[in-house]
Amino acid sequence: MSTPINPDIPPNESLIEYPSLFPIKVMGVKVEGLVHAITLIAHQFDPAFDASTIELRESKGGKYLGVTITVTATSREQLDELYRTLSTHPMVKVVL
């Protein structure tokens, strides 16, 4: 079993109602392939993910790119694994 992102909250006491649309902000260096990589991961955890809902925001200097994806969250375990997968991707710097 995987370790939850916030182990202080028991799984049966989640503040999120499932299923629900859940936005996740991913930040990385603005390089070719970043958005595609994030999209593939989103589809891995939410097969119905709609890539047309992706929101992009460049940093002031243009070096970094914020990518907001909105997935259908079906469980805490799904979100924990999604955050873990995004966070460990080499192109990703931060996941919020």
Side-chain angles (χ1 to χ4, degrees):
M1 183 161 166
S2 62
T3 305
I5 297 295
N6 188 345
D8 298 332
I9 301 173
N12 59 344
E13 294 180 20
S14 176
L15 301 175
I16 302 168
E17 233 178 86
Y18 300 103
S20 68
L21 293 178
F22 193 84
I24 299 172
K25 183 169 223 167
V26 184
M27 289 177 269
V29 175
K30 185 181 171 189
V31 294
E32 181 143 350
L34 175 65
V35 176
H36 181 68
I38 293 168
T39 301
L40 289 176
I41 293 169
H43 274 291
Q44 181 183 340
F45 289 89
D46 177 8
F49 174 70
D50 181 1
S52 71
T53 64
I54 292 174
E55 296 175 32
L56 304 176
R57 184 168 181 191
E58 278 188 39
S59 64
K60 278 187 180 179
K63 181 177 179 181
Y64 296 96
L65 184 64
V67 181
T68 301
I69 58 171
T70 301
V71 297
T72 300
T74 56
S75 69
R76 177 173 171 182
E77 293 77 19
Q78 174 214 28
L79 287 177
D80 287 347
E81 277 305 310
L82 175 54
Y83 270 88
R84 192 170 293 102
T85 302
L86 287 166
S87 298
T88 58
H89 192 282
M91 297 173 96
V92 172
K93 298 292 181 197
V94 178
V95 181
L96 303 172

